[in-house]
Amino acid sequence: MTARILVVDDIEANVRLLEAKLASEYYEVLTASDGPTALAVAAAEKPDIILLDVMMPGMDGFSVCRRLKDDAETRHIPVVLVTALDGRGDRVAGLESGADEFLTKPIDDMMLFARVRSLTRLKAVIDELREREASGRRMGVIAGAHVRLGGAGGRILVVDDHIRQAQRVAAELSVEHRPVVETEPDKALLTAKGAVDLIILNTAARGFDGLRLAAQIRSDEQTRNVPVIAVVDFDERPKVMKALEIGVNDILARPIDPQELAARARTQIRRKRYTDYLRDNLDQSLELAVTDQLTGLHNRRYMQGRLEALARRAAAGGEPVGCLVIDIDHFKKINDSFGHEVGDEVLREFAVRLASNVRAIDLPVRYGGEEFVVVMPDTSLDVAQRIAERIRLHVAGSPFRVLGGEELLSVTISIGVAATAGADDTPQAMLRRADAAMYEAKSQGRNRVIARAA
């Protein structure tokens, strides 16, 4: 997987060296020589990853990173801080500024490319979620919001069969989070399928294969989106590379530094909450796009796709598709006499009665206003007509309670019925026949069902 990478360093030779290494692996490279230029390029070009030098004149890498993470347009871009500093304080400061990783010069090529590949995969997922969420906002089914999601108060699963070490990690995390400890992999997997924000996994566990457990977490649909920090011995380079290849989100060297642990945990939890927010908005947008919010029935947009597919199957020799077009009689009089709130109550109650009187395979839809449609797979004209009569009788047979039960309204409906007939018939033609039949029912006195054959 290729990516666009922004390299930021005030020393030209360092920029050229990194650019050559990345270009040889077919990455597209952008460059900047100072903090303000980096911020401008990041905002304009939206790179996939930023490799950011810490020691720069004017605005150092920590400041640039904080500015990037404070901006809603760039905070999702992974940042790798690159520096000659190797002190614990500098590493923690970098992570607390929002950086995703901290690499020390001279850069280890294998570690660099492993981290770039890992962060590129993550960025691709977030980009797709952001794009879909933006589409939902453009469609008007998601309200735009400025969201700031913290990294504290997470539920963290610590998986380690070294119980004293696990308890020390849990004790450090309990200052900000709600950690739980599991020493057995099977129990850990079950716990991970619950409401877990982060998994911290000891890859050097003696009683189980930590990397195998990481692979199981990534392959299970219920846990694949839970971030994993792998605790590793950096001297075991093959294991470190394999952990990143499997898809762990971050690595933490032993012995564990408490501040680094806290900083990495906050980063992962904050990112998970952001991706969860995007996924929740996406789910909401999909639901809103196909559902009528007043009645809870599917809407016209959803119906059209389903009806087209069923009609194609019928035209190819499958079972016919039936269709009902239903209109609530004298609905305008209800609105004029009692107000639109009562009109909405009638629509909601009618939707309940409609849904409870069609079959499980049928699709009841609010078509618009007081007009409803039922699409009926594998249904002939005479069967559709019998179901329509059942719906009519149920609506007319008992009054609608409105205004908190204080008023009883007698409501009737007129129904037109049609069904597909032959390979040349179209769903549009069937709907027109059902609509014409419905208007015929109204012209004949309302509260009746009329079927119209092709």
Side-chain angles (χ1 to χ4, degrees), residues 277-450:
Y277 160 78
L278 293 175
R279 285 191 178 93
D280 289 346
N281 265 1
L282 176 58
D283 290 343
Q284 179 190 13
S285 71
L286 291 174
E287 181 180 350
L288 291 173
V290 300
T291 304
D292 173 64
Q293 295 305 291
L294 177 64
T295 64
L297 300 179
H298 284 299
N299 62 18
R300 183 172 182 167
R301 175 188 296 166
Y302 181 77
M303 181 209 75
Q304 288 172 332
R306 287 289 305 277
L307 182 56
E308 289 284 351
L310 291 168
R312 283 196 300 269
R313 189 180 71 179
E319 294 295 321
V321 181
C323 174
L324 313 181
V325 173
I326 307 168
D327 191 80
I328 299 176
D329 296 329
H330 300 298
F331 186 74
K332 185 177 185 300
K333 186 182 293 185
I334 294 173
N335 275 336
D336 291 345
S337 302
F338 297 93
H340 288 281
E341 287 188 10
V342 170
D344 288 349
E345 286 187 65
V346 170
L347 291 172
R348 283 193 290 266
E349 173 62 20
F350 173 71
V352 170
R353 297 192 187 195
L354 177 62
S356 62
N357 279 277
V358 297
R359 304 164 303 175
I361 63 171
D362 297 332
L363 178 66
V365 172
R366 186 183 181 198
Y367 201 66
E370 69 271 24
E371 192 169 64
F372 294 77
V373 170
V374 181
V375 176
M376 314 179 80
D378 304 337
T379 305
S380 62
L381 185 65
D382 59 333
V383 172
Q385 187 172 2
R386 286 199 300 272
I387 295 172
E389 183 64 21
R390 183 175 72 206
I391 296 169
R392 185 193 69 78
L393 288 171
H394 185 75
V395 171
S398 59
F400 285 39
R401 292 185 175 274
V402 297
L403 294 174
E406 296 178 6
E407 292 280 348
L408 295 177
L409 291 181
S410 294
V411 177
T412 63
I413 55 176
S414 299
I415 307 179
V417 184
T420 55
D424 294 333
D425 201 9
T426 66
Q428 293 78 18
M430 178 182 65
L431 281 171
R432 283 196 295 271
R433 291 196 300 273
D435 194 54
M438 182 269 292
Y439 278 105
E440 185 178 343
K442 283 188 171 295
S443 68
Q444 291 187 17
R446 297 180 170 83
N447 190 25
R448 66 192 63 220
V449 174
I450 289 183

Side-chain angles (χ1 to χ4, degrees), residues 230-253:
V231 180
V232 299
D233 289 313
F234 264 33
D235 292 338
E236 298 182 356
R237 288 172 54 80
K239 184 172 283 191
V240 174
M241 297 299 124
K242 180 58 71 175
L244 291 170
E245 183 181 320
I246 287 170
V248 304
N249 300 75
D250 203 354
I251 50 178
L252 182 63

